[in-house]
DNA sequence: TTGTCTTTGTACCGTACGGTACGGTTCGTA
DNA sequence: TACGAACCGTACCGTACGGTACAAAGACAA
C-alpha cells in the first residue's frame, strides 16, 4: 500500500526569520517596481544590504527565492474569524458587499498584481510551483471563505442556489469582470472601477437578482 | 493648436510577407510550447530554418519580434460582417450565445493564453507595447463588436440597459468568471468549464435575468 | 581572549543569449 | 551568362546574470 502522496505540502509550515522577512519585503518592492527582470540576486543583495551567499543559503536558488516571495506574501493574509453570526438579512448583505470589496482590494493591489504577473510569466515551466502556490494559497483560500459565507446565507434563506462554488464564481465574475486581466496587461483602471465599494455594491445587487431567495 | 497625437498607430497597417508569416507562426509555436524563455533568436532561427540576420532585418530586435508575433496573431482574427439583421428574439439570443461561445473559445485557446502570458510578463517595462497591443487589437475590438450587438438588441427591445459597455462587462464576467486567470496561472479547466457552449448558455441565461426587457 | 558561527561585501567563473559580421547559395532579371 | 538582392548557416563578440569562493567583521559562548 503506497504512502499517500504529499503533494502541495511544500512551503506548508515554512517560517522566515525577521531578517529573511525584511529581505523578502525588499524583493517584493523590487518586483512591484520593475517586475521579474528587476529582481536579480545581485540587485536584491544590494538593496537589502545582504550578501548573495546568504540568499543562496536561505532560499537555495533563484526559483526558491521567487517561491519564497510568493509564500511570504501569502502568509501575510490572515482570516478574520468569520465575523460572528450573520444576524439579519441586511447585515448579511452588508457582509457580502464587504467581502466583495475586500476581494477587489486584494486583486487590484499592486503587490497582488505584481505577484500574479510573476506567476503567470513563470507558469509555462515544467513544474509551475508559483502558479500552484498562488492558486492554492490565494484563490482557493478566498473561494473557500466565500463558499462558507454563501452557504450561511442559504442556510438562513437569504439566498437560493444549488452549487456554492458556482454561485461564488458568478459573484466573482460580476465583481471583477475583465478589470483584473486589464490591470495585469498594464491598463489603468477607470475612475468608476477604482470605486471598489461601488463596484462591489453593484455586483451584490445583481447577485441578489440571480440568487436572492 | 497641437496636432492630434497619433498614439497607438504603431503596427497599424503592418504587413508581413508569407515567409515572415511562416517564421512568426514558428515563433507562436515556440511560445505556446515553452513560453517566453523558449523564444530565443537562435532557437527561432533554427526551428524556422532562417538566419538570425533575417530576423533582425525584419523585426529590428527581440522586442520587435515579440511585438510582431502579437500583431500577427491579432491580424488573423477577422470580423464576420455582423451576421445580418437580428430577425427575431430567439435568433438574437442565439447570436448572443454564439458570441459568448466564441469569446470563450478565443480566450481559452492555447495561443491566446500564450500571448496573454507573454504580454503580462512584459507589462511592467517602460513602454509596455505588448500589453497595449493586445488590449487595443484584442479586447477592445471584441468589446466594440459586443457593444454593437447589445445595442442592436436594445434597439429591438430585446434588452434593457443604460450603458452598453457596462452591460458587456457583466456579460463578460458571467461568461468568463475566474476561469481565464486560472488558466493563465496554469490550472487546467474542469470538464464543465470546457463545455464552452454550455457555459455561454448559462451566462446568457443569467444576463437576460439582469438585462432582459 | 579565544573559538565558532553567521553575515557581509567583493571578486570571480561559466554560460546563455542578444546582436553583428561574413562567406556561400539561391533566385529573379537582363 | 552575368549581376544583384535576399537569404541561409555559422562563427563570433559582449554582456548580464546565476551561482560560488573567500576574506573580513560582528555576535556570542566558554
Amino acid at each position: 500500500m503506497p504512502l499517500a502522496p504529499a503533494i502541495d505540502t511544500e512551503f506548508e509550515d515554512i517560517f522566515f526569520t525577521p531578517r529573511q522577512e525584511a529581505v523578502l519585503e525588499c524583493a517584493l518592492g523590487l518586483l512591484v517596481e520593475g517586475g521579474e527582470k528587476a529582481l536579480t540576486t545581485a540587485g536584491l543583495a544590494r538593496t537589502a544590504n545582504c550578501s548573495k551567499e546568504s540568499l543562496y543559503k536561505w532560499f537555495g536558488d533563484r526559483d526558491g527565492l521567487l517561491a519564497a516571495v510568493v509564500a511570504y506574501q501569502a502568509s501575510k493574509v490572515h482570516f478574520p474569524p468569520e465575523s460572528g453570526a450573520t444576524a439579519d438579512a441586511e447585515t448579511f448583505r452588508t457582509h457580502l458587499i464587504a467581502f466583495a470589496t475586500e476581494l477587489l482590494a486584494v486583486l487590484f493591489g499592486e503587490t497582488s498584481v505584481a505577484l500574479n504577473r510573476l506567476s503567470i510569466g513563470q507558469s509555462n515551466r515544467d513544474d509551475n510551483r508559483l502558479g500552484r502556490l498562488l492558486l492554492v494559497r490565494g484563490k482557493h483560500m478566498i473561494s473557500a471563505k466565500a463558499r462558507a459565507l454563501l452557504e450561511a446565507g442559504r442556510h438562513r434563506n437569504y439566498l437560493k442556489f444549488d452549487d456554492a462554488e458556482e454561485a461564488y464564481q458568478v459573484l466573482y465574475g460580476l465583481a471583477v469582470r475583465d478589470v483584473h486581466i486589464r490591470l495585469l496587461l498594464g491598463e489603468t483602471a477607470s475612475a468608476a472601477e477604482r470605486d471598489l465599494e461601488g463596484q462591489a455594491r453593484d455586483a451584490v445587487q445583481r447577485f441578489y437578482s440571480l440568487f436572492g431567495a
Side-chain angles (χ1 to χ4, degrees), chain A:
Chain A
M1 189 174 178
L3 218 52
I7 295 293
D8 277 328
T9 60
E10 57 182 345
F11 283 101
E12 190 176 9
D13 295 321
I14 219 159
F15 195 67
F16 300 114
T17 70
R19 177 73 183 121
Q20 291 168 358
E21 290 194 353
V23 172
L24 291 176
E25 202 67 45
C26 261
L28 260 179
L30 288 177
L31 268 184
V32 168
E33 189 190 352
E36 193 226 313
K37 301 204 67 172
L39 183 52
T40 65
T41 55
L44 177 58
R46 193 175 343 106
T47 58
N49 287 326
C50 75
S51 67
K52 287 175 67 174
E53 195 163 12
S54 296
L55 293 181
Y56 283 97
K57 179 177 182 179
W58 294 334
F59 308 116
D61 55 4
R62 186 169 183 271
D63 283 1
L65 171 64
L66 296 181
V69 172
V70 175
Y72 165 65
Q73 173 68 14
S75 76
K76 284 202 290 190
V77 306
H78 290 321
F79 279 69
E82 195 33 64
S83 61
T86 58
D88 61 313
E90 200 47 47
T91 63
F92 177 75
R93 187 182 179 122
T94 306
H95 283 170
L96 256 193
I97 294 175
F99 168 80
T101 306
E102 193 197 358
L103 173 66
L104 293 178
V106 169
L107 287 188
F108 297 177
E110 57 180 5
T111 68
S112 165
V113 168
L115 288 184
N116 272 279
R117 282 176 177 161
L118 169 66
S119 303
I120 288 173
Q122 304 273 314
S123 62
N124 30 22
R125 302 190 47 182
D126 43 5
D127 57 345
N128 188 19
R129 292 166 73 188
L130 296 192
R132 294 203 331 262
L133 258 175
L134 215 62
L135 282 167
V136 68
R137 303 285 290 253
K139 288 195 75 63
H140 294 175
M141 291 293 186
I142 293 178
S143 159
K145 179 180 175 183
R147 283 200 308 270
L149 184 57
L150 293 179
E151 270 163 357
R154 176 173 62 177
H155 184 256
R156 300 191 173 237
N157 277 354
Y158 303 150
L159 299 175
K160 183 162 152 50
F161 53 80
D162 289 334
D163 184 358
E165 171 67 21
E166 189 181 355
Y168 161 66
Q169 293 231 0
V170 170
L171 177 60
Y172 180 101
L174 287 171
V176 176
R177 291 121 128 204
D178 70 346
V179 184
H180 195 201
I181 185 69
R182 275 167 40 220
L183 284 180
L184 291 177
L185 282 169
E187 198 172 271
T188 54
S190 72
E193 286 162 354
R194 272 194 292 268
D195 172 20
L196 304 188
E197 173 129 7
Q199 297 287 310
R201 216 172 277 278
D202 291 353
V204 170
Q205 164 76 33
R206 291 180 176 129
F207 184 76
Y208 266 79
S209 297
L210 295 173
F211 295 101

